Every structure is written in C-alpha cells, then in structure tokens.
C-alpha cells in the first residue's frame, strides 16, 4: 500500500506557474492570448518518511528503509500551454490557463534511483486574477499583484530501472498537485528607439502546493503541502502593435522557465 510507506509528500517550489505578462496596466475591454512552452528541470520533491518497516509500494517504488526524515526526489517535465487574459474594467485582469505535457519523477532508494514515468500526457488547468496597484509612468515602474490556483494530474505506469529482477516494472499511480500562487510583480516599458521596445519584469512568488499520490490498485493515498518563496525574472518584447514575445524563469529548487507569443485584441 502507498500509505504503508508511512510518508507524507511535501513539494518544494513545485509547479510554479509562469506569469507571462508584465505589471503594466491594460486598457478596459482588452483581451490577450498567450501561447507558450513551460518546463522544469530538477524540481525538488520532498518526501517525509517514517520508520514504519515497509519501504515500497505495490509497484516496487522503494525508499531507503530503517530511517525517518526527509528524502528528496527530483521532477522534470515540459508542457505546451495556452493562457487567456481579459480585462473588462480598469484595474483587474482575469485569466484562465490550460496546458498538456509530460512529467517524470526520480525517486532514490537504498541501492538505486527509480524513474517514475507515464505514457499519457498530463493536464494542468487553472484560473487567476491580477490587480494593478501602481501604473507604469515615465518615472515610476508598474506594480501589480497576481493570485492564481491550478490543478495538475499525472498518471505513472512505469518505473526504470525497476525493482526486483523478474518482477513487473508496471505501476498504476496518479499524482495530483494543487498549486496556490501569489506574486508581487514590477515592470517598466523602455523605448529603445522608434522601432524597438523592451519591458523587463520580475518580483517574488509565494507558492503553496498540496499533493495527493494515489495508488490506483488499492486506492490508498499519501499527501501533504509545502510553502516556498522564489524570485522570478522575465522580459517582454513588443514586435508589432498587438504582438509580443516573452520569456520568464526562476531558479529556486530547480529551473522553472517559460517562453512564447502574446496576441492582443483591443
């Protein structure tokens, strides 16, 4: 059983969502579409293990036995994403996001490191709200607050290099992540010349991730939550009146990044 492992899963900096937009205020009635790629490398997943005797799941995903404390796993993956941002009134922007991609987890044990992976794509979807606090002017940068919630689902059906020789390497487990994120963001639009503009942005993100790992064979669960704070940096480059390119990254507990195209209507 998953619960027989005696662990509560807590994820550090897991699935921090890229903002993709600057803090600068938009006009009332505006609508934006952002198409982008987002990825993560060596994301830290922390499992709190209790010395309860059992050290593996039914699928043979093993941890070190005879110990208590934190064991770090590493997650990596990438996804194609779409974000729709609307501003019906002067100060607030509302958005929804959806992504499809893959994710794998490396879990250490006493002798080997198992790679958990799946043949099907995982899904992430969520909603958010951004509030303009200070507008962007010639002398002062813009400041905005961003609040979002997202849900991610990943199915794992295989592990490598495997457990007991001759045993099946198939597993049947589902990882669910609920990500609550709050960001304080600042940006400023620089006019380089009559053709080129550059808008760097950045700030701090607070992220809480609630996890649930379910074994689909016997229905057992394990889960937990973790809070983290990470800085982020990005830039936006307008390439036409209603088009722009953007890129964003953060570097705490793994490498989180995103880059894509923005299309604006009105």
């Amino acid at each position: 059983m998953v619960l027989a492992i005696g662990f509560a899963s807590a994820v550090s900096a897991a699935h921090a969502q890229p903002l993709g937009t600057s803090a600068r205020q938009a006009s009332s009635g505006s609508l934006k579409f952002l198409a982008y790629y987002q990825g993560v490398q060596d994301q830290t997943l922390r499992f709190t293990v209790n010395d309860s005797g059992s050290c593996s799941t039914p699928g043979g995903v093993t941890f070190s036995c005879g110990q208590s404390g934190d064991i770090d796993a590493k997650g990596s993956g990438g996804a194609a994403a779409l974000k729709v941002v609307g501003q019906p009134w002067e100060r607030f922007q509302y958005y929804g996001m959806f992504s499809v991609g893959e994710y794998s987890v490396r879990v250490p044990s006493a002798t080997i490191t198992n790679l958990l992976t799946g043949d099907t794509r995982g899904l992430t979807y969520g909603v958010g709200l951004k509030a303009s606090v200070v507008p962007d002017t010639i002398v002062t940068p813009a400041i905005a607050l961003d609040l979002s919630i997202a849900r991610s689902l990943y199915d794992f059906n295989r592990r490598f290099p495997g457990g007991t020789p001759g045993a099946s390497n198939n597993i049947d487990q589902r990882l669910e992540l609920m990500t609550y994120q709050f960001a304080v963001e600042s940006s400023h639009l620089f006019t380089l010349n009559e053709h080129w503009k550059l808008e760097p942005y950045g700030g701090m993100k607070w992220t809480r991730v609630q996890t649930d790992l379910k074994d689909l064979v016997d229905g057992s669960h394990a889960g937990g939550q973790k809070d983290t704070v990470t800085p982020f940096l990005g830039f936006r480059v307008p390439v036409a009146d209603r088009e722009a390119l953007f890129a964003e990254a953060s570097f705490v507990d793994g490498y989180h990044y995103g880059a894509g195209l923005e299309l604006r209507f009105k």
Side-chain angles (χ1 to χ4, degrees), residues 2-253:
V2 171
L3 293 182
I5 304 173
F7 68 79
S9 167
V11 182
S12 177
H15 271 63
Q17 297 294 327
L19 272 62
T21 56
S22 69
R24 187 161 50 91
Q25 68 278 14
S27 59
S28 300
S30 65
L31 181 65
K32 295 180 182 179
F33 289 86
L34 283 70
Y36 56 98
Y37 176 86
Q38 66 180 48
V40 59
Q41 298 293 325
D42 293 330
Q43 173 184 8
T44 301
L45 307 179
R46 183 159 297 161
F47 296 88
T48 301
V49 179
N50 297 321
D51 184 7
S52 58
S54 180
C55 305
S56 64
T57 67
V61 180
T62 59
F63 291 87
S64 299
C65 301
Q67 70 178 60
S68 298
D70 293 332
I71 295 179
D72 288 343
K74 295 291 183 179
S76 299
L82 177 66
K83 185 174 185 178
V84 182
V85 183
Q87 181 162 332
W89 301 290
E90 180 179 352
R91 185 177 296 272
F92 295 100
Q93 295 180 5
Y94 302 87
Y95 59 85
M97 51 193 171
F98 178 81
S99 67
V100 179
E102 56 187 10
Y103 191 73
S104 60
V105 178
R106 299 193 306 274
V107 181
S109 69
T111 57
I112 61 174
T113 296
N114 283 295
L115 176 67
L116 311 185
T117 185
D119 293 325
T120 60
R121 303 287 184 180
L123 302 177
T124 297
Y125 54 91
V127 294
L129 168 68
K130 174 174 283 188
S132 175
V133 177
V134 177
D136 190 15
T137 68
I138 297 177
V139 295
T140 61
I143 298 176
L145 306 178
D146 191 288
L147 180 65
S148 66
I149 178 174
R151 183 183 188 221
S152 302
L153 294 172
Y154 299 99
D155 289 330
F156 299 136
N157 66 343
R158 290 178 294 146
R159 76 189 189 284
F160 297 99
T164 305
S168 173
N169 291 330
N170 294 331
I171 59 176
D172 194 5
Q173 297 176 351
R174 175 172 296 163
L175 177 65
E176 177 183 353
L177 306 176
M178 290 296 300
T179 303
Y180 305 89
Q181 182 171 281
F182 175 74
V184 179
E185 180 188 20
S186 181
S187 68
H188 185 65
L189 180 64
F190 294 91
T191 301
L192 305 180
N193 54 46
E194 60 179 331
H195 300 292
W196 292 99
K197 297 180 180 180
L198 178 64
E199 190 173 18
Y201 64 89
M204 299 294 294
K205 294 178 183 178
W206 167 83
T207 304
R208 167 171 290 180
V209 178
Q210 294 180 341
T211 66
D212 180 65
L213 179 64
K214 179 179 181 180
D215 192 294
L216 300 180
V217 175
D218 61 20
S220 57
H221 292 260
Q225 70 178 33
K226 177 68 175 182
D227 296 342
T228 190
V229 176
T230 177
F232 67 97
L233 295 172
F235 64 87
R236 177 179 175 273
V237 181
V239 295
D241 183 46
R242 300 181 183 273
E243 300 173 7
L245 301 175
F246 70 90
E248 182 180 323
S250 61
F251 306 96
V252 174
D253 286 329

